[in-house]
Amino acid sequence: MTQERILICDDEEGILIYLKKLLQTQGYLVETFNAGALLLRRLREGDPGDADLILQDVRMPDLDGISVLQEVKRLRPTLPIIIMTAFGTIDAAVEAIKLGAYDYVTKPFPKEKILSVLKNALEKEQLLQENRALKTELGKPILQDAIIFRSAVFQETYDLTLQVAASEANILVLGESGTGKELIAGAIHYNSPRRERRFLSINCAALTETLLESQLFGHVRGAFTGAITHQKGLLEEADGGTLFMDEIGDMSLPIQAKLLRVIQERDFIPVGATRAKSADIRFVAATNKDLEEEVRVGRFREDLYYRLNVINIPLPPLRDRKDDIEPLAQHFLKKYSLKMKKEVTGVTPEALHLLCSYDWPGNIRELENVMERAVILARTPLVTPKELPIWRRQQKASAAPVEPQLVSLENMEKAHIERTLLGTGYHKSRSAEILGISRKTLDRKIAEYEITIPS
């Protein structure tokens, strides 16, 4: 485990000796400085990652502690700083907090107090580093060989994708849940002039309105309860690149209005800020909803719809591209065989027939889940029908009465939702994916139809 390095700056030799000995016994690497100028020279000459925290006195003879703090924040903006202060200089410590210091401790302090503050600051910084790493990971390219197809119908879709990628137009990707809309968005970005910049994505249905606004626009410190630091949003992070917005049809009207401004004016205002920031972004949006109907009933802004729908790419469901089932199944077999370190190399002819004759209401996502399960259960190199759960669904379907029953559309929808819930063991999120609706919509339907969910 990497040892954390702490820099201590204080003009009292006794404090430096005490703190160095204390922190070294806790496993920290420690460097001490008896003047602010020495600390600043060390930071200027060092590498960005060669220190994890600064412990600094607010009063020093050569430089004012506040001036040192301001210069440290300029040199190392993310480096946490803890201020040490005597009782008579608490006002200066409060000023330091306003300028970006993490916390302050008052001399004389018990060792438990200083160790606790240090531990909390380092843990918080580690979380922030992980968050920054996660955002970097979001910007990594999607491998284009992950788009697997053989069918002529999807070849047309893919050709259209490559054709429009070179433009700067906003794109709307339409299709059922699980058809691969994010992969198409990635193909648009990595075949566009923006390929060297970032490709970021967000699911608009997975976040509350407040959290979605913060994730998109970012916020300044103090914008709301819990906003203890400045946070960049995806609009700022994606500047010069592409932002993929999945489930755009679930975005609230207030956020739609703010997004429209970004597209029209090419700027945005972070939550709690007063000054706009520029944003050069290409938007790729996706939905499984009928946006024209959403516009008609007033749930989606017409002006935003036309801004996003400059070009639309309809994705065919898997049941309409049967030729792609075999190569997709083989792709997922290989993926999960490597992951689980199992020798599963293919499927039997009977299993392949079963895969190709099934309608796949959950599309490619459902196929991937089925193949993952098959790899887990397989005891031979070839997957057989026994490892595929879909044969039971087809048996039930074939046992249904042939004579059609005339029922209302409402009753049909209720029955279909009940069958889907039963088939997934009443797993709501999985059922919503198969039905092609959001979890929120499914909960509303369950309440509307008074469907009983076993406890």
Side-chain angles (χ1 to χ4, degrees):
M1 184 175 178
T2 305
Q3 289 180 286
E4 290 153 317
R5 185 178 297 273
I6 297 175
L7 311 185
I8 307 173
C9 186
D10 197 302
D11 62 326
E12 295 183 47
E13 193 66 25
I15 288 287
L16 292 179
I17 294 172
Y18 168 72
L19 287 174
K20 183 172 185 178
K21 182 178 179 180
L22 173 64
L23 299 185
Q24 284 179 336
T25 62
Q26 300 297 315
Y28 297 114
L29 297 174
V30 180
E31 295 180 40
T32 60
F33 306 87
N34 60 11
L38 296 176
L39 171 66
L40 294 177
R41 186 171 69 183
R42 160 67 174 78
L43 294 175
R44 292 189 187 101
E45 295 175 354
D47 296 323
D50 63 1
D52 298 291
L53 183 140
I54 290 178
L55 191 56
Q56 174 201 320
D57 191 13
V58 77
R59 288 281 178 89
M60 285 176 287
D62 63 330
L63 287 173
D64 175 65
I66 296 298
S67 300
V68 174
L69 169 66
Q70 290 175 313
E71 182 63 12
V72 169
K73 296 305 289 184
R74 189 188 70 80
L75 294 170
R76 307 281 181 92
T78 63
L79 189 61
I81 303 169
I82 295 172
I83 295 295
M84 297 182 289
T85 179
F87 281 111
T89 55
I90 288 180
D91 288 344
V94 173
E95 178 65 20
I97 296 293
K98 292 179 180 179
L99 292 172
Y102 172 77
D103 204 347
Y104 73 91
V105 290
T106 305
K107 297 177 182 178
F109 41 76
K111 67 176 184 179
E112 293 80 8
K113 170 67 175 177
I114 189 67
L115 291 176
S116 174
V117 173
L118 286 172
K119 182 174 180 289
N120 291 339
L122 290 168
E123 286 179 351
K124 179 190 172 187
E125 179 58 23
Q126 183 180 2
L127 288 173
L128 291 173
Q129 287 178 2
E130 290 172 358
N131 183 267
R132 289 191 288 267
L134 181 59
K135 285 193 173 183
T136 301
E137 188 69 22
L138 286 172
K140 288 185 177 178
I142 295 175
L143 296 177
Q144 292 307 299
D145 60 5
I147 300 181
I148 309 295
F149 65 92
R150 182 191 292 163
S151 65
V153 64
F154 197 83
Q155 182 67 59
E156 292 181 11
T157 299
Y158 193 63
D159 289 345
L160 175 61
T161 299
L162 298 183
Q163 182 181 349
V164 303
S167 74
E168 283 292 307
N170 295 326
I171 308 291
L172 184 61
V173 185
L174 304 171
E176 297 177 7
S177 180
T179 49
K181 296 188 284 292
E182 186 165 3
L183 287 177
I184 291 297
I188 292 169
H189 174 76
Y190 293 111
N191 289 279
S192 77
R194 296 173 179 260
R195 66 177 66 90
E196 300 301 325
R197 305 304 293 272
R198 300 187 70 184
F199 171 72
L200 301 178
S201 65
I202 188 168
N203 188 320
C204 302
L207 303 172
T208 64
E209 179 178 336
T210 302
L211 188 54
L212 177 61
E213 181 180 19
S214 177
Q215 287 291 307
L216 280 175
F217 296 88
H219 62 257
V220 298
R221 183 178 180 180
F224 49 83
T225 303
I228 58 175
T229 60
H230 169 75
Q231 179 70 51
K232 288 184 179 181
L234 291 179
L235 292 173
E236 187 171 352
E237 297 279 6
D239 188 33
T242 304
L243 180 59
F244 172 60
M245 307 185 71
D246 200 5
E247 306 296 354
I248 191 77
D250 289 280
M251 181 180 284
S252 69
L253 287 169
I255 305 295
Q256 289 178 34
K258 293 185 177 184
L259 180 62
L260 179 65
R261 173 196 163 89
V262 179
I263 296 174
Q264 290 178 333
E265 307 298 332
R266 290 185 171 270
D267 64 25
F268 67 96
I269 302 175
V271 179
T274 56
R275 185 173 299 178
K277 294 188 174 186
S278 62
D280 173 23
I281 300 170
R282 183 186 196 175
F283 291 94
V284 180
T287 183
N288 54 25
K289 292 187 174 182
D290 182 348
L291 282 191
E292 290 187 353
E293 175 63 16
E294 295 294 298
V295 169
R296 190 186 68 79
V297 298
R299 286 193 293 262
F300 201 85
R301 293 181 63 106
E302 184 176 21
D303 44 9
L304 178 59
Y305 171 67
Y306 289 117
R307 286 286 185 175
L308 293 172
N309 191 31
V310 178
I311 299 172
N312 72 66
I313 300 177
L315 292 192
L318 189 54
R319 61 182 172 274
D320 292 341
R321 40 185 291 212
K322 295 281 190 177
D323 290 346
D324 294 334
I325 293 175
E326 182 178 1
L328 282 166
Q330 290 289 352
H331 169 73
F332 294 132
L333 269 186
K334 182 178 179 181
K335 173 182 175 180
Y336 288 106
S337 296
L338 289 171
K339 183 177 180 180
M340 300 174 196
K341 298 180 174 61
K342 294 185 70 173
E343 290 291 331
V344 184
T345 57
V347 298
T348 65
E350 296 81 9
L352 180 60
H353 174 74
L354 190 58
L355 290 171
C356 293
S357 59
Y358 182 58
D359 273 347
W360 300 106
N363 293 294
I364 300 171
R365 188 178 294 121
E366 184 183 7
L367 174 60
E368 180 173 5
N369 291 341
V370 165
M371 299 317 296
E372 180 182 10
R373 178 184 186 274
V375 172
I376 294 171
L377 298 179
R379 296 184 178 181
T380 65
L382 295 180
V383 172
T384 69
K386 192 165 75 171
E387 286 88 53
L388 301 175
I390 56 178
W391 69 270
R392 293 189 182 89
R393 302 172 197 168
Q394 292 191 332
Q395 274 190 337
K396 290 179 182 177
S398 63
V402 177
E403 183 178 346
Q405 293 182 334
L406 301 178
V407 296
S408 69
L409 184 61
E410 182 177 309
N411 287 338
M412 286 181 64
E413 184 177 48
K414 177 182 178 182
H416 183 52
I417 292 173
E418 287 177 329
R419 282 197 301 270
T420 305
L421 286 165
L422 179 63
T424 62
Y426 293 93
H427 190 292
K428 289 185 180 180
S429 296
R430 179 79 189 101
S431 298
E433 286 181 2
I434 293 172
L435 291 166
I437 59 178
S438 69
R439 168 69 184 270
K440 184 167 61 177
T441 301
L442 177 60
D443 286 333
R444 180 169 57 78
K445 295 285 186 183
I446 289 172
E448 179 183 338
Y449 293 135
E450 299 181 351
I451 297 173
T452 302
I453 304 296
S455 56

